Amino acid sequence: MRHIFSTFFMFFMFFMFFNGYSQVNPVSPAQGYSTMIEGNATLKTNETEGNIAIGGDLIFTSNTVYQTTNNTAGGVTFPGDSRPTGLLVNGKIQFNGGHTITVNTSAWVKIGNCTGATIHDTDQNGAATNTVINNGTSISSTPRILLQTQQPSNTVCSSNLIDFTAAFDTMRQYSFQLSTCDENIFFSDQNGNPLSDPDEPNDNTKIILASNTVNILNTTPDALDNIQNITFQNLSATSPIVFNIDGGTNDISWVVPSFAGVNPRYIFWNFVNTPTLTLTGGNTLEGTLYAPSSKVIKSNGANIQGSVIAAEFEHNNGEIHDFPWEIDLTLCPSTEICGNNVDDDGDGLIDCADEGCLLTISSVNSQDLTCLPIIDDGAITVNVSDTGTVSYSITNEENYQSSNIFSNLGQGQYTIRVKNTDGCVTTHTSHITMERPTCIEVCNDGIDNDGDGFIDCDDADCENFSTEQIGTN
């Protein structure tokens, strides 16, 4: 049995990021759960055949009748347990009505916050029975969670078994980097001819997959809405397909098309930047639904055949069948986008902490002060090798100017900083020190060269003058 817990996961992710791994299974942060939700999950009807992990609350509705782990309890057995945990809720249970959520295949349940929940493992006669979790004093009270085994009551309330924040930060990063991959496949008509306008494909499309490679198709919500049927040709474990769907920051309501030539284990739907994704229509979604930034609302009565990754989830109808994604994908290189609080290039550094967001100071030139007259006439010129709007500072991080030339400078030490429009500051590796040179009295030019009030032979410096103190007059 596999023991999975947060410390191991964090060590694994650190090792992977900083040792140059470029191929990952994008659902691996789900740690063995076929359905993983970062926040709250509302379960109304019908079922998920595999296990499910919920980072927020599990919410009952007025007509909840639901089943989990119908086909498998999964392989997530926590240390000290004798059975896999098929339903994990990191938050609490909101018993808002409805009837029963049944946990099958003798799987166990973990609840992070048991406030308002009562755990029953004996019936009204005191006899041992399968575990029931509800908010009443009677084991028969509904709404309830009904197990098909007797789980020790002291093992139910367990918090922070999975770091959902870390898992979803990683999956959002994977989702973004996959979306930056160049597409290598296209929609075609039934004769294999590429469609002229990828945003307006005809109703019946075909995708002819290249062999021995991961096929990437970047598309839009509008394109998907215009498709009633997709036929896959050559789909296999060695020729899977990744759909990247970026709708900007708009919600998507998707009438799922019908599919032919499918194996759901080899189809991956990556939704990027979508706040809310609603699945409608009467067709089954074939493949893994990967939407780590989205609230997913499943309103249609058909099924999902694959893993489900979502920020929030409302399961109002249909089933989730257990076809987990098991293929490693290469994360495409990407450039850090400064200011979005995302590690876009996957180097472990975010925004201004990433060198890609910093300006490069190519040179710093300084002009020393003159010895006389005694005025502040030093100057510093800062040059950067980047384009765009740059602000410059030589004093502190609050005092910037648009010009790269600083003049009328006095003695002192100056720290060179440049700042771009994203607010990212680059500091020069060394300080610039301005000093006034010591003036030497010239003993025969009629000028008080060292500024002490004495000229030529009247200056004590000329009593034993050197040859450099003899002028040309």
Side-chain angles (χ1 to χ4, degrees):
M1 289 182 288
R2 179 174 49 178
H3 299 287
I4 303 174
F5 48 93
S6 180
T7 302
F8 170 80
F9 173 67
M10 292 302 293
F11 173 80
F12 168 75
M13 294 313 302
F14 179 88
F15 178 84
M16 185 175 63
F17 267 121
F18 291 96
N19 285 273
Y21 283 73
S22 59
Q23 281 201 326
V24 298
N25 181 338
V27 301
S28 60
Q31 304 181 54
Y33 281 93
S34 60
T35 297
M36 190 180 216
I37 312 301
E38 181 179 23
N40 295 341
T42 301
L43 303 182
K44 178 181 176 182
T45 184
N46 284 339
E47 66 183 48
T48 175
E49 292 184 348
N51 53 7
I52 180 170
I54 301 166
D57 293 350
L58 168 58
I59 302 173
F60 279 75
T61 69
S62 59
N63 49 4
T64 290
V65 178
Y66 198 89
Q67 297 188 70
T68 70
T69 59
N70 281 18
N71 285 8
T72 175
V76 185
T77 302
F78 291 100
D81 291 350
S82 61
R83 290 292 303 159
T85 293
L87 173 62
L88 186 152
V89 181
N90 196 48
K92 62 181 182 294
I93 311 298
Q94 295 189 30
F95 296 101
N96 295 337
H99 199 273
T100 302
I101 295 177
T102 303
V103 181
N104 294 301
T105 58
S106 298
W108 282 11
V109 173
K110 299 289 185 180
I111 303 172
N113 182 352
C114 284
T115 301
T118 304
I119 303 166
H120 305 270
D121 54 11
T122 57
D123 63 17
Q124 58 270 24
N125 298 317
T129 187
N130 290 342
T131 300
V132 171
I133 304 166
N134 60 24
N135 62 346
T137 56
S138 170
I139 193 173
S140 59
S141 296
T142 59
R144 64 180 180 173
I145 298 173
L146 173 64
L147 280 67
Q148 299 300 303
T149 186
Q150 186 180 56
Q151 177 180 345
S153 57
N154 63 350
T155 67
V156 173
C157 301
S158 302
S159 61
N160 300 318
L161 294 171
I162 292 177
D163 189 337
F164 283 85
T165 299
F168 273 82
D169 283 348
T170 300
M171 287 192 284
R172 278 187 282 269
Q173 174 63 35
Y174 290 167
S175 177
F176 176 82
Q177 285 193 255
L178 287 171
S179 74
T180 66
C181 296
D182 294 331
E183 64 180 355
N184 55 12
I185 203 73
F186 48 81
F187 288 115
S188 66
D189 61 24
Q190 291 299 311
N191 296 319
N193 300 312
L195 294 171
S196 58
D197 188 343
D199 286 332
E200 296 182 7
N202 59 11
D203 290 342
N204 297 295
T205 63
K206 178 183 284 186
I207 299 176
I208 303 172
L209 301 168
S211 300
N212 301 314
T213 189
V214 175
N215 294 266
I216 306 291
L217 199 156
N218 299 329
T219 187
T220 66
D222 289 340
L224 291 181
D225 277 342
N226 288 324
I227 300 174
Q228 291 187 1
N229 175 268
I230 300 177
T231 298
F232 296 96
Q233 183 174 316
N234 303 329
L235 182 68
S236 70
T238 58
S239 303
I241 185 168
V242 174
F243 289 89
N244 290 316
I245 305 100
D246 190 345
T249 57
N250 298 317
D251 294 337
I252 297 174
S253 181
W254 183 23
V255 180
V256 178
S258 62
F259 299 95
V262 299
N263 186 320
R265 295 182 185 275
Y266 311 137
I267 304 173
F268 191 90
W269 301 93
N270 178 32
F271 284 84
V272 188
N273 300 322
T274 303
T276 301
L277 170 63
T278 303
L279 303 181
T280 65
N283 295 312
T284 290
L285 177 61
E286 302 283 354
T288 286
L289 176 59
Y290 198 73
S293 298
S294 306
K295 177 180 181 179
V296 173
I297 302 174
K298 189 182 182 310
S299 296
N300 62 345
N303 305 322
I304 298 175
Q305 301 218 117
S307 300
V308 175
I309 304 296
E312 294 182 65
F313 189 44
E314 290 184 15
H315 193 171
N316 297 321
N317 213 337
E319 303 173 2
I320 301 174
H321 293 171
D322 188 40
F323 289 90
W325 182 265
E326 297 175 341
I327 299 174
D328 286 353
L329 300 175
T330 299
L331 300 179
C332 296
S334 60
T335 302
E336 184 74 11
I337 298 174
C338 310
N340 66 351
N341 199 34
V342 174
D343 179 18
D344 305 291
D345 56 4
D347 63 356
L349 302 173
I350 296 175
D351 295 345
C352 293
D354 193 298
E355 288 187 1
C357 290
L358 301 178
L359 296 165
T360 300
I361 300 175
S362 56
S363 65
V364 176
N365 302 317
S366 60
Q367 175 184 306
D368 291 332
L369 286 73
T370 57
C371 68
L372 284 177
I374 304 177
I375 58 174
D376 292 338
D377 58 356
I380 293 175
T381 302
V382 183
N383 298 304
V384 299
S385 58
D386 307 85
T387 60
T389 303
V390 182
S391 300
Y392 304 84
S393 172
I394 60 170
T395 53
N396 55 59
E397 293 194 36
E398 288 74 39
N399 188 13
Y400 283 87
Q401 66 181 44
S402 58
S403 174
N404 68 325
I405 300 174
F406 297 86
S407 55
N408 301 323
L409 301 179
Q411 297 185 87
Q413 190 177 74
Y414 296 90
T415 300
I416 312 301
R417 296 183 178 92
V418 294
K419 181 169 64 175
N420 60 20
T421 54
D422 296 304
C424 300
V425 175
T426 302
T427 302
H428 193 48
T429 54
S430 59
H431 300 288
I432 303 299
T433 301
M434 288 286 190
E435 294 181 350
R436 189 178 304 281
T438 301
C439 295
I440 300 175
E441 181 71 17
V442 178
C443 299
N444 63 343
D445 65 352
I447 298 172
D448 180 14
N449 307 102
D450 58 4
D452 63 357
F454 298 96
I455 298 173
D456 295 351
C457 294
D458 293 332
D459 193 306
D461 294 338
C462 290
E463 291 181 0
N464 296 296
F465 59 84
S466 62
T467 55
E468 66 183 28
Q469 291 177 269
I470 301 175
T472 58
N473 294 338

